[in-house]
Amino acid sequence: MSPERMAGHPLSLALPKGRLFNQALEHFAARGLCVSPPDRELIVTDNKGMLRIFIVKNSDLPVYVSHGIAGLGICGSDVLYESGGVFFELLEFSFGSARMCLAAREDHDQDAAIKHLKVATKFPVFTRNFFNRRGIPVEIIKLNGSVELAPVLGLAPYIVDLVETGSTLKANGLKIVEELENTRVKLIANPAYYKVHYGEVDTFVGFLKERA
Ligand code: PRP
C-alpha cells in the first residue's frame, strides 16, 4: 500500500522525544513516508499528509493516547506498563528493544544474597511488582532521568533502568546485576479512536509492516 493511497484525514500519532523518535522516523522513511526533522516544533506532518505527529515526553505518551488527544502512539512496553492504561496494541516493531535491568556499582558483590533492595528508578510500578512477586521488600526512590547517578552519589545502591547498548552503565562505573525483562516498542491505539478509524488505522498498520 503506497502512502499516497492512504492520504485522507491525517491520523494523529504521538511519538516520544529521543532515540525512539529517530528510529520511528527511519522506519517511516524506509517505506517512503518522510518527516522533516523538527527544529523546536512539537507538531509535525509528513510529506503525504498522512500523519499529524505530536512530539511528547516518553513517559507522557500514554496520557495523550488514553485521553484521545492522539489516536495512536509509538511507545516502549516499559512505559505502557508503568502507565497502567488500557490500549489496543496493534504492532510490535523490530527496533528499539531494550533490557530492563537491575544494576549496581562495579564493586558490588555479585554473590551477596539480596534480602532487601533500595532502588532508584524511573519505573516504580514495574520495580515494585517485580520484586514483590519474588517476596523481596523494595524501597523505591523515584527519579525522572540520569538514574545512573544514584549509585555513584550514594542515593541508592541499586537502580532499575533500561539498558540498550550498556554504554551509559559502563561510562558511570556500573554493571548489570540481573536482566529482569526485555522491552519491546509497540504501536498502540486509543480503543475508541480505533473503533471509529479502524479502516485507515489497519491500512497504516499494513503499511508499517511492509518490508523496507
Ligand atoms: C535511557 C536509559 C539509560 C540509557 C541506556 O535513558 O534510562 O539511561 O538510555 O542506554 P544505553 O544502554 O544505550 O547507554 P535516556 O537516554 O532515555 O535518558 P534519561 O536518563 O534522561 O531518561
Side-chain angles (χ1 to χ4, degrees):
M1 171 70 65
S2 73
E4 288 81 355
R5 287 192 56 201
M6 296 166 53
H9 285 298
L11 295 168
S12 58
L13 173 75
L15 286 183
K17 287 179 182 176
R19 257 178 296 201
L20 276 188
F21 183 78
N22 293 329
Q23 289 175 321
L25 291 199
E26 281 167 23
H27 190 87
F28 295 167
R31 288 153 184 81
L33 190 68
C34 296
V35 178
S36 304
D39 188 6
R40 301 293 294 174
E41 318 90 284
L42 297 174
I43 302 177
V44 294
T45 53
D46 61 282
N47 58 334
K48 310 291 182 194
M50 195 164 83
L51 298 173
R52 190 157 183 257
I53 297 172
F54 309 141
I55 305 167
V56 303
K57 187 175 161 67
N58 202 11
S59 54
D60 291 339
L61 193 144
V63 178
Y64 283 93
V65 180
S66 66
H67 284 263
I69 305 301
L72 305 172
I74 293 180
C75 187
S77 53
D78 46 297
V79 171
L80 291 180
Y81 184 85
E82 211 63 26
S83 79
V86 176
F87 306 101
F88 287 173
E89 297 186 4
L90 305 177
L91 186 61
E92 212 170 70
F93 293 98
S94 55
F95 63 80
S97 296
R99 295 164 289 163
M100 187 72 85
C101 293
L102 180 70
R105 284 165 46 141
E106 268 165 6
D107 57 8
H108 170 263
D109 178 4
Q110 198 83 3
D111 297 328
I114 297 176
K115 296 198 176 109
H116 171 268
L117 278 173
K118 187 173 180 183
V119 180
T121 185
K122 292 185 281 191
F123 306 100
V125 178
F126 170 84
T127 302
R128 188 174 306 285
N129 290 347
F130 185 93
F131 288 105
N132 280 356
R133 280 198 301 274
R134 282 194 180 171
I136 297 175
V138 58
E139 180 186 345
I140 292 172
I141 299 175
K142 168 80 164 68
L143 293 176
N144 295 304
S146 301
V147 174
E148 292 82 359
L149 273 177
V152 177
L153 300 181
L155 181 64
Y158 294 98
I159 61 171
V160 166
D161 202 12
L162 288 178
V163 177
E164 197 172 353
T165 62
S167 53
T168 311
L169 286 185
K170 192 157 184 260
N172 290 288
L174 305 181
K175 67 178 178 185
I176 293 172
V177 175
E178 186 180 343
E179 294 183 10
L180 309 179
E181 191 174 273
N182 287 319
T183 66
R184 300 299 303 265
V185 175
K186 300 181 180 208
L187 176 70
I188 59 165
N190 173 294
Y193 185 87
Y194 180 76
K195 281 174 193 155
V196 174
H197 299 283
Y198 65 91
E200 303 97 296
V201 174
D202 283 352
T203 304
F204 181 54
V205 171
F207 165 71
L208 291 178
K209 276 183 185 165
E210 278 175 16
R211 284 183 177 276

